[in-house]
């Protein structure tokens, strides 16, 4: 845990929006600004500092896409030919040594979220798309940092950490409903 002093993590986020969607043409609910994403990830990384390898700064990419593209990624990398809500491609491996050039940002990896699936799940869970997107982004970030949910115990631990991350940005969800969601989609 962090001490009572707050630490600032230097962080760079690349947000990519690549899709053509018809989830709610009159609504711009899914339009979370790059600044908001930056603030969320900054807050999360600062709260997860004890889970980060030492580096002068950190970097990751967030790609917001649709079901078609995420299904292609899911088929290619997980051999599951179906859309999913979030994929995380971690750049860090447990036994990889620290990079030689410590002046460069440490690349954590890529998070890909399907807005179409997130929209459906938000409706099923009776919460906003913003909550769902924050939930999925937090889930993806934890995967980038080595968290996994291979059994009920690790799933509960990961979901608890996600709830904490959402509370840190003042976004609240219902973890009981999300537990079912992640068991079905992961």
């Amino acid at each position: 845990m962090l001490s009572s002093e707050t630490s600032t993590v230097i962080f760079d986020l690349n947000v990519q929006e690549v899709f053509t969607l018809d989830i709610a043409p009159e609504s711009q609910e899914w339009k979370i600004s790059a600044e908001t994403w930056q603030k969320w990830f900054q807050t999360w990384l600062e709260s997860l500092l004890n889970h980060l390898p030492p580096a002068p700064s950190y970097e990751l990419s967030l790609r917001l896409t649709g079901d078609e593209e995420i299904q292609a990624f899911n088929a290619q990398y997980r051999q599951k030919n179906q859309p999913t809500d979030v994929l995380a491609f971690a750049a860090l491996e447990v036994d990889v040594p620290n990079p030689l050039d410590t002046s460069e940002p440490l690349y954590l990896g890529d998070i890909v979220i399907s807005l179409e699936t997130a929209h459906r799940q938000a409706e099923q869970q009776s919460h906003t798309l913003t909550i769902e997107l924050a939930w999925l982004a937090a889930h993806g970030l934890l995967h980038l940092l080595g968290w996994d949910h291979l059994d009920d115990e690790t799933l509960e631990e990961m979901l608890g950490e996600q709830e904490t991350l959402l509370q840190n940005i003042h976004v609240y969800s219902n973890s009981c409903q999300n537990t079912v969601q992640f068991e079905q989609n992961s």
Side-chain angles (χ1 to χ4, degrees):
M1 294 297 275
L2 291 175
S3 66
S4 58
E5 285 182 37
T6 56
S7 298
T8 301
V9 173
I10 299 171
F11 168 69
D12 187 34
L13 174 66
N14 176 22
V15 178
Q16 305 167 1
E17 296 176 354
V18 280
F19 47 80
T20 303
L21 295 177
D22 189 25
I23 57 173
E26 68 285 350
S27 170
Q28 293 293 307
E29 182 185 8
W30 59 271
K31 280 287 202 187
I32 297 169
S33 72
E35 293 79 21
T36 298
W37 285 115
Q38 179 77 29
K39 182 180 173 187
W40 287 356
F41 278 100
Q42 182 77 37
T43 300
W44 293 339
L45 287 172
E46 287 173 4
S47 71
L48 293 166
L49 196 56
N50 59 336
H51 295 282
L52 292 170
S57 62
Y58 302 91
E59 184 178 359
L60 67 85
S61 288
L62 172 66
R63 185 176 183 96
L64 303 173
T65 190
D67 280 350
E68 186 177 329
E69 184 177 61
I70 208 164
Q71 179 172 344
F73 288 145
N74 205 21
Q76 181 177 358
Y77 295 105
R78 296 180 65 221
Q79 291 70 53
K80 294 185 177 185
N81 192 17
Q82 63 191 37
T84 190
D85 49 9
V86 61
L87 292 172
F89 299 98
L92 301 176
E93 295 294 336
V94 176
D95 296 327
V96 174
N98 288 335
L100 296 175
D101 183 0
T102 57
S103 66
E104 292 294 316
L106 180 60
Y107 191 68
L108 299 175
D110 303 307
I111 299 170
V112 182
I113 296 175
S114 169
L115 287 171
E116 290 171 301
T117 298
H119 184 259
R120 284 191 303 275
Q121 290 177 174
E123 287 181 339
Q124 292 167 355
Q125 304 298 330
S126 300
H127 58 228
T128 67
L129 184 55
T130 299
I131 291 172
E132 188 68 20
L133 291 172
W135 179 262
L136 295 173
H139 187 80
L141 177 62
L142 290 174
H143 276 304
L144 294 186
L145 299 179
W147 294 67
D148 211 346
H149 45 86
L150 302 174
D151 55 36
D152 289 342
E153 183 179 330
T154 56
L155 175 66
E156 288 304 316
E157 185 178 328
M158 191 169 178
L159 293 174
E161 188 64 34
Q162 279 177 251
E163 283 294 323
T164 300
L165 293 177
L166 267 60
Q167 289 171 7
N168 288 345
I169 60 167
H170 309 289
V171 173
Y172 303 95
S173 69
N174 183 338
S175 63
C176 294
Q177 292 175 346
N178 284 315
T179 301
V180 173
Q181 168 188 319
F182 278 107
E183 288 174 340
Q184 292 171 349
N185 291 326
S186 297

Short mmCIF file of all heavy atoms in Angstrom, two decimals, residues 117-138:
data_model
loop_
_atom_site.label_atom_id
_atom_site.label_comp_id
_atom_site.label_asym_id
_atom_site.label_seq_id
_atom_site.Cartn_x
_atom_site.Cartn_y
_atom_site.Cartn_z
N THR A 117 -20.48 -4.49 -27.27
CA THR A 117 -20.67 -5.43 -26.17
C THR A 117 -20.86 -4.69 -24.86
O THR A 117 -21.72 -5.03 -24.05
CB THR A 117 -19.50 -6.42 -26.09
OG1 THR A 117 -19.44 -7.17 -27.30
CG2 THR A 117 -19.67 -7.39 -24.93
N ALA A 118 -20.05 -3.64 -24.64
CA ALA A 118 -20.17 -2.85 -23.41
C ALA A 118 -21.57 -2.24 -23.30
O ALA A 118 -22.17 -2.24 -22.22
CB ALA A 118 -19.11 -1.76 -23.38
N HIS A 119 -22.10 -1.76 -24.42
CA HIS A 119 -23.45 -1.18 -24.42
C HIS A 119 -24.50 -2.22 -24.03
O HIS A 119 -25.37 -1.96 -23.20
CB HIS A 119 -23.74 -0.60 -25.81
CG HIS A 119 -25.06 0.09 -25.90
ND1 HIS A 119 -26.17 -0.49 -26.45
CD2 HIS A 119 -25.44 1.33 -25.48
CE1 HIS A 119 -27.18 0.35 -26.38
NE2 HIS A 119 -26.76 1.46 -25.80
N ARG A 120 -24.41 -3.41 -24.61
CA ARG A 120 -25.36 -4.49 -24.27
C ARG A 120 -25.26 -4.85 -22.79
O ARG A 120 -26.26 -5.04 -22.10
CB ARG A 120 -25.11 -5.73 -25.14
CG ARG A 120 -25.61 -5.61 -26.55
CD ARG A 120 -25.59 -6.95 -27.28
NE ARG A 120 -24.27 -7.58 -27.31
CZ ARG A 120 -23.33 -7.31 -28.21
NH1 ARG A 120 -23.54 -6.42 -29.16
NH2 ARG A 120 -22.17 -7.94 -28.16
N GLN A 121 -24.02 -4.97 -22.32
CA GLN A 121 -23.82 -5.35 -20.92
C GLN A 121 -24.32 -4.27 -19.97
O GLN A 121 -24.88 -4.57 -18.92
CB GLN A 121 -22.34 -5.67 -20.66
CG GLN A 121 -21.92 -6.96 -21.33
CD GLN A 121 -20.46 -7.29 -21.19
OE1 GLN A 121 -20.06 -8.36 -21.61
NE2 GLN A 121 -19.64 -6.43 -20.62
N ALA A 122 -24.12 -3.02 -20.32
CA ALA A 122 -24.62 -1.92 -19.48
C ALA A 122 -26.14 -2.01 -19.37
O ALA A 122 -26.70 -1.85 -18.28
CB ALA A 122 -24.19 -0.57 -20.05
N GLU A 123 -26.81 -2.28 -20.48
CA GLU A 123 -28.27 -2.43 -20.44
C GLU A 123 -28.68 -3.62 -19.60
O GLU A 123 -29.60 -3.54 -18.80
CB GLU A 123 -28.82 -2.57 -21.87
CG GLU A 123 -28.79 -1.27 -22.65
CD GLU A 123 -29.37 -1.41 -24.05
OE1 GLU A 123 -29.44 -2.54 -24.58
OE2 GLU A 123 -29.75 -0.37 -24.61
N GLN A 124 -27.97 -4.76 -19.75
CA GLN A 124 -28.29 -5.96 -18.96
C GLN A 124 -28.07 -5.72 -17.47
O GLN A 124 -28.81 -6.25 -16.64
CB GLN A 124 -27.42 -7.14 -19.41
CG GLN A 124 -27.74 -7.65 -20.79
CD GLN A 124 -26.66 -8.59 -21.33
OE1 GLN A 124 -25.63 -8.80 -20.70
NE2 GLN A 124 -26.89 -9.14 -22.52
N GLN A 125 -27.06 -4.95 -17.12
CA GLN A 125 -26.72 -4.70 -15.72
C GLN A 125 -27.50 -3.51 -15.15
O GLN A 125 -27.35 -3.20 -13.97
CB GLN A 125 -25.22 -4.43 -15.57
CG GLN A 125 -24.32 -5.52 -16.10
CD GLN A 125 -24.50 -6.84 -15.39
OE1 GLN A 125 -24.85 -6.88 -14.22
NE2 GLN A 125 -24.29 -7.93 -16.10
N SER A 126 -28.26 -2.83 -15.99
CA SER A 126 -29.04 -1.66 -15.58
C SER A 126 -28.16 -0.56 -14.99
O SER A 126 -28.47 0.02 -13.94
CB SER A 126 -30.14 -2.04 -14.59
OG SER A 126 -31.02 -2.96 -15.18
N HIS A 127 -27.03 -0.33 -15.65
CA HIS A 127 -26.22 0.83 -15.29
C HIS A 127 -25.77 1.53 -16.56
O HIS A 127 -26.05 1.09 -17.66
CB HIS A 127 -25.05 0.48 -14.36
CG HIS A 127 -24.08 -0.53 -14.89
ND1 HIS A 127 -23.65 -1.60 -14.16
CD2 HIS A 127 -23.42 -0.63 -16.07
CE1 HIS A 127 -22.79 -2.31 -14.85
NE2 HIS A 127 -22.64 -1.73 -16.02
N THR A 128 -25.09 2.65 -16.40
CA THR A 128 -24.72 3.46 -17.56
C THR A 128 -23.56 2.84 -18.33
O THR A 128 -22.78 2.04 -17.79
CB THR A 128 -24.30 4.88 -17.13
OG1 THR A 128 -23.08 4.80 -16.39
CG2 THR A 128 -25.39 5.56 -16.32
N LEU A 129 -23.45 3.25 -19.57
CA LEU A 129 -22.33 2.81 -20.40
C LEU A 129 -21.01 3.33 -19.82
O LEU A 129 -19.99 2.65 -19.88
CB LEU A 129 -22.52 3.27 -21.84
CG LEU A 129 -21.47 2.81 -22.85
CD1 LEU A 129 -21.31 1.30 -22.87
CD2 LEU A 129 -21.83 3.33 -24.24
N THR A 130 -21.02 4.50 -19.23
CA THR A 130 -19.81 5.04 -18.61
C THR A 130 -19.31 4.11 -17.51
O THR A 130 -18.11 3.81 -17.42
CB THR A 130 -20.07 6.45 -18.04
OG1 THR A 130 -20.44 7.31 -19.12
CG2 THR A 130 -18.84 7.00 -17.34
N ILE A 131 -20.22 3.63 -16.67
CA ILE A 131 -19.84 2.68 -15.61
C ILE A 131 -19.25 1.42 -16.23
O ILE A 131 -18.21 0.92 -15.81
CB ILE A 131 -21.04 2.34 -14.70
CG1 ILE A 131 -21.41 3.56 -13.86
CG2 ILE A 131 -20.75 1.13 -13.82
CD1 ILE A 131 -22.70 3.39 -13.07
N GLU A 132 -19.90 0.90 -17.26
CA GLU A 132 -19.43 -0.33 -17.90
C GLU A 132 -18.04 -0.14 -18.51
O GLU A 132 -17.16 -0.98 -18.37
CB GLU A 132 -20.43 -0.80 -18.96
CG GLU A 132 -20.11 -2.17 -19.53
CD GLU A 132 -20.28 -3.31 -18.53
OE1 GLU A 132 -20.98 -3.16 -17.51
OE2 GLU A 132 -19.70 -4.39 -18.78
N LEU A 133 -17.85 1.00 -19.20
CA LEU A 133 -16.55 1.25 -19.82
C LEU A 133 -15.45 1.42 -18.78
O LEU A 133 -14.34 0.90 -18.96
CB LEU A 133 -16.63 2.47 -20.73
CG LEU A 133 -17.47 2.29 -22.00
CD1 LEU A 133 -17.64 3.62 -22.72
CD2 LEU A 133 -16.86 1.23 -22.91
N ALA A 134 -15.75 2.10 -17.68
CA ALA A 134 -14.76 2.24 -16.61
C ALA A 134 -14.44 0.87 -16.01
O ALA A 134 -13.28 0.55 -15.75
CB ALA A 134 -15.28 3.19 -15.53
N TRP A 135 -15.47 0.06 -15.81
CA TRP A 135 -15.30 -1.29 -15.25
C TRP A 135 -14.39 -2.13 -16.15
O TRP A 135 -13.46 -2.79 -15.68
CB TRP A 135 -16.67 -1.94 -15.08
CG TRP A 135 -16.62 -3.33 -14.53
CD1 TRP A 135 -16.69 -4.49 -15.23
CD2 TRP A 135 -16.50 -3.70 -13.16
NE1 TRP A 135 -16.61 -5.56 -14.38
CE2 TRP A 135 -16.50 -5.10 -13.10
CE3 TRP A 135 -16.40 -2.97 -11.98
CZ2 TRP A 135 -16.39 -5.80 -11.90
CZ3 TRP A 135 -16.31 -3.67 -10.78
CH2 TRP A 135 -16.30 -5.07 -10.76
N LEU A 136 -14.67 -2.09 -17.45
CA LEU A 136 -13.88 -2.89 -18.40
C LEU A 136 -12.45 -2.38 -18.51
O LEU A 136 -11.51 -3.17 -18.60
CB LEU A 136 -14.57 -2.90 -19.77
CG LEU A 136 -15.93 -3.60 -19.81
CD1 LEU A 136 -16.59 -3.40 -21.16
CD2 LEU A 136 -15.81 -5.07 -19.45
N ALA A 137 -12.28 -1.07 -18.50
CA ALA A 137 -10.93 -0.50 -18.58
C ALA A 137 -10.12 -0.88 -17.34
O ALA A 137 -8.94 -1.24 -17.44
CB ALA A 137 -11.00 1.02 -18.74
N ALA A 138 -10.74 -0.81 -16.17
CA ALA A 138 -10.06 -1.21 -14.93
C ALA A 138 -9.69 -2.69 -14.98
O ALA A 138 -8.59 -3.09 -14.59
CB ALA A 138 -10.94 -0.91 -13.72
#
